[in-house]
Amino acid sequence: MAALPLVALLSITFIFIAYSLYQRLRFNLPPGPRSLPVVGNLYDIKPVRFKCFADWAKVYGPIFSVYFGSQLNVIVTTSDLAKEVLKDNDQYLADRFRTRPTARMSRNGKDLIWADYGPHYVKVRKFCNLELFTPKRLEGLRPIREDEVSAMVESIFKFCINPENKGKSLLMREFLGSVSFNNITRLTFGKRFMNSEGEIDEQGQEFKGIVSNGIKIGAKLSMAEYVPWLQWMFPGETQVLDKHNARRDRLTRLIMEEHTLARQKSGNTKQHFVDALLTLQKEYDLSDDTVIGLLWDMITAGMDTTTISVEWAMAELVKNPRVQQKAQQELDRVIGSDRRMTESDFSNLPYLQSIAKEALRLHPPTPLMLPHRANSNVKIGGYDIPKGSIVQVNVWAIARDPKSWKNPLEFRPENFSRKMLILRVMIIDFCHLVLEGVFVLVLNLL
């Protein structure tokens, strides 16, 4: 009896080695670091994954293989290979790899971000393009964005003139986090959970707790996610996920009911997304799971990404007085000192737009984008990508590729005085759904 666990372990190891040899003999896989049985390269990956992959690309080439347990991952790190993945072979790589957390939180792809390519994806994508992210709706939400940015500037002013804060550092993340929080909740739910003093009400506290907990769950790299036969050893993880989903759905349904009652009383439909989703739900045959999933897609894609991007942009401006001075000169020339800047001014501020783009180049908020899964065998860069493999685009590495950029580590907004391929690579994935709103907010904050 005591020998049974050892026999089982040896059998699993033998099967893994045999399967790996079979794949290597049948397919011309990209090179990569030597993997171990069962765990693959999980113990070789350093904490900052996209930087680790960029270092490996210097050793194994611009496309290489990495095993997360028994799951083959293919990493691409150049713009030409990214074009093959995201454009030339998009139809073969349009599915998503979903871990247990992402599968349960998205109801197995019932949203948009984590949906596989198919009728559901096409329907929801069409709905978003025709109803949610139209120029008319985004323009209708413009007062919310401008109002929140004005409130942030006023908060910063009050902090600076307060005698108690003399000599204290101004932590921009706190102010940027607040404006992102208020902006996304008002755009999505039509609610402002935070008052002018920065105090968050009970519902807002619950919302922030759900967001924070979701990030912790999603960021965790569990061995059981990539070694499926180990999942039975971690039953508690499933319970944590179910508890989180129930908590999230309970708050979302409560807000949805509030909007339904308000709409029945007034008969008016507001511009924000929850009203649009509820009003058009039957017309587009959207399930409640899809409605909830779309709302949380927007929250996930638009909250921390905005804060991170603007914080990096402002840090780069502080480090580069030349760029800061040039931006100030443009603002003085176009806006002057006797009025506030509005979104309509952005088209006349090309250098400010270039600053935002350059910040996104050096500090992309999603350095590895979202994982793509091959739905059939395909070739990338001359190598075979077997069906079921995960393909990841290392945007961070592409944006710092010396073959594409002169002095790639230098913050130079002048890089975007002409069209660059990297822009297409950086925005072609899920962020294209919220890019216009997020980009406008980034420019507002700058």
Side-chain angles (χ1 to χ4, degrees):
M1 293 294 291
L4 284 178
L6 179 60
V7 172
L9 180 61
L10 290 174
S11 299
I12 292 169
T13 303
F14 174 77
I15 292 171
F16 177 84
I17 293 173
Y19 180 72
S20 298
L21 288 173
Y22 168 76
Q23 275 202 319
R24 293 182 184 278
L25 291 173
R26 182 185 175 190
F27 299 107
N28 178 30
L29 300 178
R34 185 184 297 275
S35 60
L36 296 173
V38 182
V39 297
N41 301 109
L42 285 175
Y43 288 107
D44 299 323
I45 300 172
K46 296 176 183 177
V48 185
R49 204 180 307 176
F50 58 89
K51 290 185 179 181
C52 175
F53 289 164
D55 291 337
W56 283 358
K58 297 175 184 177
V59 178
Y60 303 107
I63 177 172
F64 58 91
S65 300
V66 179
Y67 281 90
F68 286 19
S70 57
Q71 178 64 59
L72 172 63
N73 285 252
V74 175
I75 317 298
V76 300
T77 58
T78 66
S79 56
D80 290 338
L81 289 170
K83 180 175 177 289
E84 288 190 47
V85 171
L86 301 173
K87 183 180 179 182
D88 300 343
N89 296 286
D90 177 56
Q91 67 271 32
Y92 306 116
L93 298 166
D95 286 355
R96 291 292 187 204
F97 170 75
R98 295 184 290 269
T99 60
R100 273 196 301 175
T102 54
R104 285 185 173 268
M105 284 191 276
S106 68
R107 297 295 193 273
N108 207 31
K110 291 290 181 64
D111 61 343
L112 179 63
I113 288 179
W114 295 105
D116 291 332
Y117 184 78
H120 169 78
Y121 175 86
V122 172
K123 178 178 69 175
V124 177
R125 173 77 179 273
K126 178 182 177 182
F127 170 76
C128 289
N129 287 337
L130 295 181
E131 304 292 349
L132 288 189
F133 299 104
T134 61
K136 181 180 178 180
R137 188 173 297 280
L138 292 174
E139 179 62 23
L141 293 169
R142 171 178 159 184
I144 292 177
R145 298 190 294 268
E146 293 185 342
D147 180 47
E148 289 303 331
V149 173
S150 297
M152 182 195 69
V153 173
E154 185 178 348
S155 296
I156 293 174
F157 176 74
K158 288 180 178 178
F159 179 92
C160 293
I161 64 174
N162 189 339
E164 295 180 2
N165 296 325
K166 186 176 181 180
K168 291 183 180 180
S169 298
L170 182 69
L171 298 177
M172 285 304 302
R173 171 163 289 193
E174 294 182 2
F175 295 97
L176 296 174
S178 295
V179 74
S180 295
F181 175 78
N182 291 328
N183 187 67
I184 202 67
T185 55
R186 289 183 68 183
L187 294 178
T188 306
F189 292 136
K191 299 193 69 170
R192 197 180 199 271
F193 298 119
M194 184 184 295
N195 62 23
S196 59
E197 302 299 324
E199 299 171 342
I200 302 176
D201 62 23
E202 185 178 347
Q203 208 172 58
Q205 293 286 359
E206 177 70 358
F207 177 83
K208 291 200 78 170
I210 292 170
V211 172
S212 177
N213 193 50
I215 292 172
K216 290 178 182 177
I217 292 173
K220 188 178 179 182
L221 185 61
S222 172
M223 180 77 73
E225 297 301 331
Y226 302 98
V227 187
W229 55 270
L230 288 179
Q231 290 186 2
W232 66 271
M233 299 174 62
F234 301 92
E237 292 186 0
T238 301
Q239 296 172 8
V240 169
L241 288 170
D242 290 342
K243 185 177 179 181
H244 172 79
N245 282 342
R247 182 184 178 190
R248 184 192 70 172
D249 290 359
R250 186 165 51 249
L251 175 65
T252 311
R253 290 181 187 278
L254 178 62
I255 295 173
M256 289 165 61
E257 288 172 7
E258 290 175 0
H259 281 274
T260 300
L261 291 173
R263 195 167 58 254
Q264 289 172 350
K265 288 181 180 179
S266 65
N268 295 327
T269 301
K270 301 292 180 64
Q271 286 284 348
H272 40 66
F273 296 134
V274 68
D275 258 359
L277 284 164
L278 293 174
T279 304
L280 299 166
Q281 183 177 4
K282 290 184 178 179
E283 180 181 339
Y284 282 86
D285 189 26
L286 303 177
S287 67
D288 284 351
D289 285 343
T290 296
V291 170
I292 293 173
L294 286 173
L295 288 171
W296 283 92
D297 280 354
M298 285 180 271
I299 292 166
T300 304
M303 187 172 288
D304 284 344
T305 51
T306 306
T307 303
I308 292 168
S309 298
V310 179
E311 188 175 24
W312 274 116
M314 298 193 73
E316 291 290 358
L317 284 173
V318 170
K319 287 171 56 182
N320 294 273
R322 177 193 69 83
V323 176
Q324 186 178 156
Q325 182 180 12
K326 195 170 179 180
Q328 189 62 59
Q329 289 172 350
E330 182 182 66
L331 288 170
D332 290 341
R333 184 176 67 254
V334 176
I335 309 299
S337 58
D338 53 356
R339 70 176 181 89
R340 288 183 178 182
M341 183 177 71
T342 65
E343 290 185 13
S344 60
D345 293 312
F346 293 158
S347 59
N348 299 319
L349 297 166
Y351 194 70
L352 185 61
Q353 293 183 46
S354 296
I355 289 173
K357 294 172 184 176
E358 179 71 347
L360 290 170
R361 177 186 75 84
L362 278 176
H363 311 286
T366 51
L368 289 173
M369 304 182 75
L370 289 182
H372 294 253
R373 184 168 61 87
N375 54 36
S376 62
N377 296 336
V378 64
K379 280 189 175 289
I380 299 293
Y383 292 103
D384 293 324
I385 311 299
K387 180 180 179 179
S389 302
I390 302 171
V391 180
Q392 299 190 55
V393 178
N394 192 340
V395 175
W396 187 86
I398 294 172
R400 294 162 181 258
D401 185 356
K403 294 180 181 178
S404 300
W405 304 91
K406 183 179 179 181
N407 301 322
L409 301 184
E410 182 182 343
F411 186 79
R412 294 186 69 255
E414 289 78 8
N415 284 326
F416 290 92
S417 59
R418 53 192 171 87
K419 292 183 179 180
M420 303 295 287
L421 176 62
I422 189 63
L423 269 182
R424 194 179 310 162
V425 175
M426 290 174 66
I427 67 174
I428 202 168
D429 209 46
F430 81 98
C431 283
H432 72 281
L433 294 173
V434 293
L435 181 67
E436 186 167 352
V438 170
F439 187 64
V440 163
L441 180 59
V442 168
L443 289 177
N444 244 321
L445 293 174
L446 287 172

